[in-house]
Amino acid sequence: VQLVESGGGSVQSGDSLRLSCAASGLTFSNYRMGWFRQAPGKEREFVATISRGGVRTYYADSVEGRFTISRDNAKNTVYLQMNSLKPEDMAVYYCAADQRSVGPMTRGRVDYWGQGTQVTVSS
């Protein structure tokens, strides 16, 4: 199984970025997908998740209204559109796959992780 993130980069506060995560080696539509992030010196934290069919989404309070998660099951890809970026959003962003369909998506319940992509936001 491989989850490969792309789209990270360096932006200024208020800018936007779109992250992508291409999955292979698994039946993508059988997995709830999500994004986590980890800032230096901090624990990896949940950002957003999307259900297998893409109908249900859930966000961390810190990104609600600014970030949008979506998926294309035909392309085995999940996206994270990040708008109005803030310096506190700066972190390595990780794609995650979880075969469970209910309950919160926590670090301990993730079946597969991507390698991460860096997002840097300057004020």
Side-chain angles (χ1 to χ4, degrees):
V1 174
Q2 277 196 315
L3 303 177
V4 180
E5 300 98 333
S6 60
S10 296
V11 296
Q12 293 190 328
S13 182
D15 286 349
S16 299
L17 276 177
R18 189 194 196 203
L19 306 183
S20 300
C21 171
S24 60
L26 76 170
T27 304
F28 186 71
S29 59
N30 286 352
Y31 285 78
R32 175 170 59 173
M33 299 299 295
W35 290 93
F36 287 72
R37 67 186 182 186
Q38 187 167 16
K42 296 188 176 180
E43 291 188 347
R44 192 171 298 188
E45 65 175 4
F46 168 80
V47 174
T49 187
I50 187 166
S51 61
R52 295 169 178 176
V55 174
R56 295 184 303 276
T57 57
Y58 183 74
Y59 299 90
D61 289 344
S62 57
V63 306
E64 179 82 54
R66 300 187 298 121
F67 290 11
T68 302
I69 188 171
S70 61
R71 67 189 293 164
D72 186 337
N73 284 353
K75 295 182 178 179
N76 287 4
T77 302
V78 61
Y79 306 95
L80 185 68
Q81 177 67 42
M82 305 185 295
N83 297 331
S84 302
L85 282 162
K86 304 175 181 180
E88 51 263 44
D89 294 318
M90 183 163 61
V92 177
Y93 282 72
Y94 295 91
C95 177
D98 172 8
Q99 200 165 17
R100 301 167 188 84
S101 60
V102 295
M105 191 175 191
T106 61
R107 291 195 312 268
R109 300 184 72 170
V110 170
D111 295 306
Y112 302 105
W113 292 100
Q115 84 288 350
T117 186
Q118 176 71 47
V119 171
T120 301
V121 185
S122 58
S123 56

